[in-house]
Amino acid sequence: MLINAIIGALIIGLCLSIFGSGGSILTIPVLLYLVGMQPELAIASSLLIVGIISLFNGSLLIRHRQVSWPHVLLFGFPGMVGTYLGAWLALQIDSRVQLAVFTVLMLLSAILMWRSKPKPTQQPVQHLKLMLDGIVVGVVTGFVGVGGGFLIVPALVLMGGLPLSIAVGSSLLIISINAASGFYKYYSVMAAAACNLTGRLLR
């Protein structure tokens, strides 16, 4: 089980570093079926794992000037609010509903990955749409525990006018911001319920 988990973690990190997305799409199945976590714990833990990996890979791309800070702030802070709301909503709903939504998102992600690479628009940056998209992606992130990179990257390219390479680097930092917000909400509720991340009741 440990070897499978390590292999899964390597693949997750590779996908995030190359595409700026795809991490949680792999993380949740790894935690559910290879590690044996309960769905609620897998979703919360996925946010923490993907957030850390994204922050690490994003920090490497900062050194290569592959990050647009204005876009990170413009997309990331509204995303934090959306992620917190999404996590709150998820805690009110049965985990089976979350996993059903997650399955739909997996299919959507596969379709987007097979499409041709998006090209930056020649229009001015659509600030309002970018911020609204940040909120929507944040809600998705918090609700099902995905980083949302498969939605963030196209938004940064098509509405933010960024080259794909810069969008990938910016996406990694946005994912880390959103994941931190969502994980904080999950963790605070679990702590209040006297339940730790291993799923064992604290005595």
Side-chain angles (χ1 to χ4, degrees):
M1 180 181 295
L2 179 60
I3 295 177
N4 290 338
I6 293 174
I7 293 175
L10 291 174
I11 295 174
I12 291 165
L14 183 63
C15 286
L16 278 169
S17 63
I18 294 176
F19 302 113
S21 63
S24 296
I25 296 295
L26 299 173
T27 305
I28 293 179
V30 167
L31 295 178
L32 283 174
Y33 303 114
L34 296 184
V35 180
M37 282 188 176
Q38 294 297 318
E40 297 88 349
L41 298 175
I43 291 171
S45 300
S46 171
L47 289 171
L48 178 62
I49 293 169
V50 170
I52 292 173
I53 295 175
S54 297
L55 182 60
F56 176 77
N57 287 329
S59 64
L60 296 178
L61 293 179
I62 291 174
R63 298 173 57 185
H64 294 87
R65 298 184 179 180
Q66 300 260 322
V67 171
S68 171
W69 289 107
H71 288 80
V72 170
L73 299 177
L74 193 64
F75 199 104
F77 282 103
M80 287 182 65
V81 177
T83 303
Y84 191 88
L85 293 175
W88 174 84
L89 178 62
L91 292 166
Q92 318 303 317
I93 295 177
D94 191 286
S95 59
R96 289 173 294 183
V97 176
Q98 288 178 271
L99 293 178
V101 174
F102 173 75
T103 301
V104 173
L105 287 175
M106 285 183 64
L107 296 175
L108 176 61
S109 177
I111 293 172
L112 291 175
M113 291 293 287
W114 279 104
R115 292 179 59 184
S116 58
K117 295 181 179 180
K119 297 180 179 180
T121 62
Q122 300 300 319
Q123 301 175 356
V125 177
Q126 302 176 46
H127 295 84
L128 180 59
K129 289 185 178 180
L130 201 58
M131 294 175 68
L132 291 175
D133 197 55
I135 295 175
V136 172
V137 172
V139 171
V140 172
T141 295
F143 186 74
V144 294
V146 300
F150 66 98
L151 298 174
I152 296 173
V153 173
L156 292 177
V157 173
L158 298 177
M159 288 185 287
L162 292 179
L164 186 59
S165 60
I166 305 296
V168 168
S170 302
S171 171
L172 289 170
L173 294 183
I174 293 169
I175 290 172
S176 65
I177 293 172
N178 288 353
S181 175
F183 177 77
Y184 172 78
K185 179 59 178 177
Y186 277 102
Y187 181 81
S188 62
V189 171
M190 289 178 182
C195 179
N196 64 11
L197 287 182
T198 65
R200 298 176 182 176
L201 292 179
L202 297 174
R203 301 299 182 182

